[in-house]
Amino acid sequence: MKSGDLTTSNVPQELSAVSKGKAPLLPVTAAPARPGGWRKGIAIFDFIIRLCAMAAALAAAAAMGTSDQTLPFFTQFFQFQASYDDLPTFQFFVIAMGIVAGYLLLSLPFSIVTIVRPFAVGPRVLLLIFDTVALTLTTAAGAAAAAIVYLAHNGNQNTNWLAICQQFGDFCQKVSGAVVASFIAVVLFVFLVVLSAMALRRT
Amino acid sequence: MKSGDLTTSNVPQELSAVSKGKAPLLPVTAAPARPGGWRKGIAIFDFIIRLCAMAAALAAAAAMGTSDQTLPFFTQFFQFQASYDDLPTFQFFVIAMGIVAGYLLLSLPFSIVTIVRPFAVGPRVLLLIFDTVALTLTTAAGAAAAAIVYLAHNGNQNTNWLAICQQFGDFCQKVSGAVVASFIAVVLFVFLVVLSAMALRRT
């Protein structure tokens, strides 16, 4: 009878612990107050990262778009000038960064929706899919521009492509800055995708 | 009575068709038998896409790595030859594609785990994070190589970089093929990331 008494006193205790602690929230810490609290935290974090990525993309587009340099000497027929639209890759970079910044602006309302309603699945899946595509676009633009910038800095002996950064130093510096800004945007996008996946997952 | 007879003879036929054919797979038909059936379907699909992406990455690395061309004429001191390791971007391409193919091979066991245990969250989150990073690496390598290939095909007037594909036609063709293969891998990776997110989400 004693052992039977023990069992009956043990069972409700464990049951109540399970139903109180682990039910709505994290499996480990089990805060009882607000259901979906950590999801809301992730959503707010998502919103902030989104703003930072937008700033980085805009900075990249602006730095690349305003990068032109005219050399202080010229001949009778020719003026030495370098601009981003001399190279198609840099044009693509400016366009892609503009698209990405625009997308990020348009995605802010959806991010706000995920803050207000932490358990909404639809907006998060939408954001994750488009974030992945935007990540690809940003990476492509940044990497292509980086390849050309490397060539402009170092040239290539084998193909007889000469470095142009000796003449157009300021131009190269600005373009390199734009590439760095785009890579920052890439890293932020990776965080966005992983965060969205974390928020989507079953508890 | 004839029409009633027809209906009763029709119904079990359709029912049996549903329960035999489509039951354990699609989420729409709402199979009562096995929970997580559509998750298993996604996991199998994930495995197949992973194999395809590995094939694409290997093909890209192989096509780029074997791309060299020696012109049939030479001077006393010089032989005209083009190889992928003349250009650092192409070297990076080969290395990155090798890494991606190796990662995909190593990720196959984890993919099998998600097939066997459709509700396991850990392996999926792991795969999603690393897939995102691999997507970035693949895109960067592909885009950088594409920028250089474009330059090799068309040259650039403004910076005085001449097209080399008139001389090295075969080389350029092989390199372009490698870039196309890498872009196929990129598309497959985007599918992988989106599929993983789908499988992670709460029903």
Side-chain angles (χ1 to χ4, degrees):
Chain A
M1 279 304 246
K2 212 165 195 178
S3 68
D5 208 79
L6 266 173
T7 353
T8 44
S9 69
N10 268 346
V11 167
Q13 199 182 348
E14 279 188 12
L15 266 179
S16 70
V18 166
S19 63
K20 245 197 303 181
K22 292 188 185 171
L25 266 183
L26 279 177
V28 186
T29 52
R34 291 196 300 169
W38 63 275
R39 280 189 211 284
K40 184 165 282 202
I42 283 185
I44 292 170
F45 203 49
D46 178 285
F47 186 79
I48 294 168
I49 290 183
R50 219 165 270 279
L51 280 180
C52 295
M54 192 166 69
L58 275 181
M64 184 64 88
T66 58
S67 68
D68 58 336
Q69 186 184 7
T70 309
L71 292 191
F73 53 86
F74 48 88
T75 64
Q76 199 172 358
F77 303 107
F78 200 75
Q79 194 178 17
F80 298 97
Q81 190 189 14
S83 163
Y84 79 93
D85 52 5
D86 290 338
L87 287 153
T89 308
F90 290 166
Q91 290 177 356
F92 167 60
F93 183 90
V94 173
I95 294 167
M97 284 300 144
I99 291 173
V100 167
Y103 157 70
L104 282 171
L105 188 66
L106 291 177
S107 76
L108 287 180
F110 291 90
S111 183
I112 292 172
V113 166
T114 62
I115 294 176
V116 177
R117 304 180 61 183
F119 283 97
V121 171
R124 271 198 213 272
V125 170
L126 206 72
L127 280 181
L128 189 127
I129 293 173
F130 281 105
D131 279 353
T132 310
V133 174
L135 164 66
T136 312
L137 186 62
T138 316
T139 314
I148 299 295
V149 167
Y150 178 83
L151 212 58
H153 272 287
N154 295 85
N156 189 292
Q157 296 265 321
N158 306 97
T159 52
N160 218 8
W161 294 336
L162 297 176
I164 59 165
C165 282
Q166 274 113 38
Q167 289 95 50
F168 297 102
D170 285 357
F171 172 71
C172 278
Q173 221 160 15
K174 244 186 158 174
V175 167
S176 308
V179 169
V180 170
S182 79
F183 282 164
I184 293 173
V186 166
V187 171
L188 292 176
F189 263 117
V190 170
F191 274 117
L192 278 183
V193 169
V194 172
L195 271 185
S196 288
M198 289 288 159
L200 269 179
R201 84 164 199 276
R202 308 180 294 283
T203 43
Chain B
M1 274 307 245
K2 212 165 197 177
S3 68
D5 205 78
L6 267 172
T7 355
T8 45
S9 70
N10 268 345
V11 166
Q13 199 182 347
E14 279 188 10
L15 268 178
S16 71
V18 165
S19 62
K20 247 197 300 182
K22 293 186 186 170
L25 275 180
L26 288 171
V28 184
T29 48
R34 294 196 296 172
W38 64 275
R39 280 187 213 282
K40 184 166 280 201
I42 283 185
I44 293 171
F45 203 51
D46 178 286
F47 186 78
I48 294 169
I49 290 184
R50 218 166 271 278
L51 281 180
C52 295
M54 192 167 69
L58 276 181
M64 183 64 88
T66 57
S67 69
D68 58 335
Q69 187 185 7
T70 310
L71 291 191
F73 51 87
F74 47 87
T75 66
Q76 198 173 357
F77 304 108
F78 200 73
Q79 195 179 17
F80 298 97
Q81 191 190 13
S83 162
Y84 79 94
D85 52 5
D86 290 338
L87 287 153
T89 309
F90 291 166
Q91 289 178 355
F92 167 60
F93 183 89
V94 173
I95 295 168
M97 283 301 145
I99 291 173
V100 166
Y103 156 70
L104 282 171
L105 188 67
L106 290 177
S107 76
L108 286 180
F110 291 91
S111 185
I112 291 172
V113 167
T114 62
I115 294 176
V116 177
R117 303 180 62 181
F119 284 98
V121 171
R124 272 198 211 273
V125 169
L126 207 72
L127 280 180
L128 189 125
I129 292 172
F130 281 106
D131 279 352
T132 310
V133 174
L135 164 67
T136 312
L137 186 62
T138 316
T139 314
I148 300 295
V149 166
Y150 179 84
L151 212 58
H153 272 288
N154 295 85
N156 190 292
Q157 296 266 322
N158 306 97
T159 53
N160 218 7
W161 293 336
L162 296 176
I164 60 164
C165 282
Q166 274 113 39
Q167 290 94 51
F168 297 102
D170 285 357
F171 173 72
C172 278
Q173 222 161 13
K174 241 182 161 178
V175 167
S176 307
V179 169
V180 170
S182 79
F183 282 164
I184 291 172
V186 166
V187 171
L188 292 176
F189 263 118
V190 170
F191 275 117
L192 278 182
V193 170
V194 172
L195 271 185
S196 287
M198 290 288 158
L200 269 179
R201 84 165 199 273
R202 308 180 294 284
T203 42

